[in-house]
Amino acid sequence: MPTITAFERSPDGGRGLARDTRVRWALEETGRAYEVRLVSFAAMKQPEHLALHPFGQIPTYEEGDVALFETGAIVLHIAERHAGLLPDHPAARSRAITWMFAALNTVEPPILEREQAPYVVGDRPWRAELLPLLDGRVRARLTQLSARLGEAEWLDGAFSAGDLMMVSVLQRLKSSAVLKEFPTLAAYVARGEARPAYARAFAAQWKVNARQPSG
Ligand code: GTB
């Protein structure tokens, strides 16, 4: 049985945005049982964890003599070995993998750049100019993605690891107004979240991370 690592307590308070959720989702889609080792921020920077993850992050994935980091590599590893996330036909399989890379390399970077910009620029004078520019870069990508998705249910035929990764990336926008400007993408995210495997993955991380009500 594989063991993954996840935050001892995710800063998102159980919204499922930490990247272990993607891995949990992939494992659930393929019907695989798994164990979770919870790690604190401090433990992530200790030699034991750094031997598994050179950048001191979660998630990692261990199974037998395989030890992996990076969600793209982990989800691909799972998808290639277990039915449910990649089509059998070689060309369709390669296209699904292409969508995984597109999610991680083309769609996620402008989203993360926009999310992190306020913390990076602080109150420097160019903040008011930079943030709308970064919003524009996110909108440009969403416009292209939305045009490609059109009215289709998933990006290329049946649900695949490409959709799992793209939905996971777009979820990062749920607290921003921009996703609502793209109703087809908002509906696409909702379709991903409606999958029973996603619900199980979300519930598992919620059990660990849910914020206790205060007071
Ligand atoms: N490229 C790597 C991958 O895809 O696996 C990125 C891994 C990564 O960013 N891991 C983060 C981490 O370990 C957790 S998921 N950070 C700790 C550190 O770097 O010290 C990123 C994340 C964190 C918090 C929220 N949140 O609170 O909403 C969302 C996503």
Side-chain angles (χ1 to χ4, degrees):
M1 191 187 300
T3 299
I4 67 167
T5 52
F7 280 133
E8 192 176 63
R9 192 149 197 214
S10 174
D12 76 353
R15 287 190 302 146
L17 298 177
R19 285 177 169 86
D20 58 288
T21 304
R22 304 171 181 186
V23 174
R24 293 174 186 270
W25 188 5
L27 289 162
E28 292 288 353
E29 289 284 351
T30 54
R32 304 226 55 214
Y34 61 98
E35 282 173 356
V36 184
R37 191 168 63 248
L38 300 176
V39 283
S40 65
F41 273 93
M44 271 181 237
K45 311 303 174 198
Q46 296 305 311
E48 199 183 332
H49 189 76
L50 287 169
L52 274 176
H53 196 309
F55 307 114
Q57 298 183 314
I58 58 96
T60 58
Y61 176 100
E62 295 158 83
E63 186 178 23
D65 58 1
V66 174
L68 301 173
F69 59 98
E70 284 297 330
T71 49
I74 297 170
V75 171
L76 183 57
H77 178 87
I78 297 165
E80 282 186 321
R81 282 160 184 78
H82 306 282
L85 282 172
L86 287 174
D88 290 333
H89 189 277
R93 203 172 172 91
S94 295
R95 289 198 305 274
I97 294 169
T98 300
W99 278 115
M100 287 182 67
F101 278 87
L104 294 171
N105 289 347
T106 304
V107 179
E108 191 166 49
I111 292 174
L112 293 189
E113 217 178 350
R114 174 60 183 88
E115 189 181 286
Q116 288 158 11
Y119 308 106
V120 176
V121 292
D123 56 4
R124 290 183 177 84
W126 59 86
R127 179 189 173 105
E129 282 179 60
L130 180 67
L131 297 187
L133 285 176
L134 295 179
D135 281 336
R137 286 160 62 90
V138 172
R139 276 197 190 90
R141 280 288 175 260
L142 297 190
T143 302
Q144 293 165 322
L145 183 64
S146 169
R148 171 54 77 102
L149 180 66
E151 296 305 317
E153 195 176 12
W154 306 114
L155 286 165
D156 191 334
F159 176 83
S160 77
D163 295 296
L164 183 153
M165 206 52 91
M166 192 64 82
V167 167
S168 300
V169 162
L170 294 175
Q171 282 179 316
R172 266 320 247 271
L173 291 169
K174 278 178 68 176
S175 57
S176 106
V178 73
L179 192 60
K180 297 187 188 74
E181 295 173 27
F182 297 87
T184 53
L185 294 181
Y188 172 63
V189 171
R191 272 196 296 284
E193 291 178 344
R195 293 180 68 82
Y198 177 81
R200 291 194 295 273
F202 182 90
Q205 69 74 38
W206 174 259
K207 235 167 123 177
V208 177
N209 297 311
R211 288 260 184 277
Q212 297 298 314
S214 54

